[in-house]
Amino acid sequence: MTSEPDGSQPYSHLAHANDVEPSFGHRHLREHCPLHVEEAHDPPFYVLSRHTDVFDVLMRPGEWRNGSGVGIEPSPPGVLGTTDDPDHRRHRRILQDTFRPGSLARLDDDVDDIADDLWNRAFGEDGEGDFVPLFAFPFPAVVIAALLGVPRDRRDEFGRWSDDIVNFLGGGDHEKAEAANREIFSLVDELVVDRVAAHERGDALPDDVLSVMALAELEGDLTHHEVRRLSQQLLVAGHETTASLISLMLYRLIERPELVAQLRADPSLIPSAVEEFLRFDSPVQGLFRTNPEPSEVRGEVLAPGSRLQVMFASANRDPEVFDDPDSIRLDRFGPGSRSHLAFGWGVHHCIGAALARREGAVALRLMIDRFETVERTGDVAVNEPFVLRGLTTLPIRWTCLLYTS
């Protein structure tokens, strides 16, 4: 463990992980201790912060595995992002076509309609309120519920369940997480039974992810336990991170109104802007990997069973890779530019990246087109699980530029 720059006390990654601006702590790690031992946690874990080193570990999935869980506490092997090959490959093969950009295009109208409905209800007239519960939090939850095939009257519950599960990743309430899991599993059971019955009658199944998984279960490619767990993971992974992206984008636009002017002058920058916001404020700060055998990182051999947090957010601000990394440059990402690590890399690259980008672009367009003015009216609050980063409150006052009924 290294000291603070003034040498006053040992540096604690956990003490700074939930800062409103965690990049200051990430810079300290990169410059002073690129392989940091976090002794403030019992048991201690390692933190890897430089882009080259993070990328190296992500490209060694056989040595550094997901199957012991990607949160701070070890857990039994799960599904997709919390398991390893061959199960990971099997799960991804079943789902990957559903998440390709071309396949997701079938949801374009639904995503636009969901966003419009939420936005118009929340911001249909000038007012004040908290942007997170008004829009950033419910929008991706409802979209993921629609993607899965959850009926409209059950979609609002998904946000609360997702929040309880995500908080557990950072050491939160285990009982709340398990209660949320039971609710999700019960709903999934009910919807899968409906799809199996429809299939046996010869009826066409809905074009959704639960139909894909129900058929895979019937064909023996998935167990029902895996169908349950995949549904839960898609909800959590697709909801919280996208909600964080959306709230942090508005936070930065309020901080830097010149970015709003730039986007209004050239809306074609919106896709590139979403990439830059993903890099600048990575919603996934850093997930954990575990080594079943001794493994070398930065010249040090780490013992089997070491917990290593690979810091995507720090890698995305590494000046060795990104010029002027602490500035937001809306035209940074274009043809031929180097990609960020906000969605990870390699075999575990986020399967829902295309959907998150689509939701981010829709939300950013609404911010630019519908708010005439927007200002922050109070302090923001950052979520508790330090593996992720988002805002739990963003109090704002706004006036409307355009209202669409």
Side-chain angles (χ1 to χ4, degrees), residues 57-309:
V57 165
L58 294 178
M59 295 304 289
R60 291 192 278 159
E63 293 180 57
W64 288 100
R65 300 188 180 179
N66 288 33
S68 293
V70 296
I72 189 170
E73 299 296 338
S75 60
V79 292
L80 196 61
T82 54
T83 192
D84 304 296
D85 289 341
D87 287 337
H88 166 261
R89 187 185 302 113
R90 173 169 55 87
H91 299 157
R92 200 173 187 98
R93 174 181 54 78
I94 291 165
L95 294 172
Q96 62 187 3
D97 285 347
T98 305
F99 284 91
R100 295 187 196 281
S103 296
L104 289 171
R106 74 189 189 281
L107 279 177
D108 281 353
D109 290 343
D110 283 343
V111 172
D112 290 340
D113 289 345
I114 291 166
D116 270 338
D117 179 58
L118 284 169
W119 192 276
N120 291 338
R121 280 191 281 145
F123 310 116
E125 57 186 25
D126 300 351
E128 294 186 30
D130 190 334
F131 182 72
V132 175
L134 284 173
F135 185 82
F137 196 74
F139 173 44
V142 176
V143 169
I144 286 291
L147 179 73
L148 284 170
V150 174
R152 292 180 183 275
D153 62 350
R154 302 295 302 275
R155 292 174 183 175
D156 289 344
E157 299 167 281
F158 263 43
R160 174 175 55 81
W161 297 338
S162 176
D163 199 38
D164 288 342
I165 294 166
V166 165
N167 283 332
F168 176 63
L169 291 177
D173 192 321
H174 178 264
E175 290 185 6
K176 280 188 176 182
E178 284 305 305
N181 282 329
R182 288 192 295 272
E183 296 279 6
I184 293 170
F185 297 159
S186 176
L187 179 56
V188 168
D189 290 348
E190 175 186 330
L191 297 176
V192 168
V193 166
D194 289 345
R195 282 154 177 76
V196 170
H199 178 71
E200 291 174 346
R201 291 193 303 268
D203 296 343
L205 298 188
D207 186 11
D208 56 44
V209 174
L210 277 173
S211 292
V212 170
M213 291 195 291
L215 290 175
E217 182 181 347
L218 285 171
E219 293 166 4
D221 294 328
L222 288 176
T223 67
H224 188 65
H225 173 78
E226 288 174 324
V227 172
R228 284 175 146 198
R229 285 290 176 182
L230 283 166
S231 300
Q232 179 250 38
Q233 190 172 114
L234 292 173
L235 163 63
V236 172
H239 172 219
E240 294 281 343
T241 52
T242 307
S244 297
L245 167 65
I246 292 168
S247 61
L248 287 165
M249 285 196 300
L250 182 61
Y251 176 69
R252 296 305 181 188
L253 293 178
I254 292 171
E255 276 193 327
R256 306 179 190 193
E258 71 277 7
L259 298 177
V260 176
Q262 190 177 351
L263 287 166
R264 284 178 175 162
D266 186 2
S268 70
L269 286 172
I270 285 176
S272 173
V274 171
E275 299 303 313
E276 178 67 340
F277 286 123
L278 282 163
R279 180 199 68 84
F280 191 82
D281 279 318
S282 303
V284 180
Q285 291 288 281
L287 300 179
F288 281 81
R289 301 289 189 269
T290 307
N291 55 334
E293 304 291 339
S295 183
E296 184 175 323
V297 177
R298 288 193 56 82
E300 182 175 343
V301 177
L302 304 190
S306 295
R307 299 287 284 173
L308 175 67
Q309 189 180 19

Side-chain angles (χ1 to χ4, degrees), residues 4 121 273 329 340-341:
E4 294 278 11
R121 280 191 281 145
R329 292 176 14 191
H340 53 72
L341 298 181

Side-chain angles (χ1 to χ4, degrees), residues 15-38:
H16 296 282
N18 291 109
D19 290 350
V20 173
E21 298 290 351
S23 58
F24 299 126
H26 299 166
R27 184 184 307 124
H28 178 87
L29 291 172
R30 289 194 306 271
E31 294 177 357
H32 299 280
C33 190
L35 180 61
H36 172 73
V37 181
E38 183 55 30

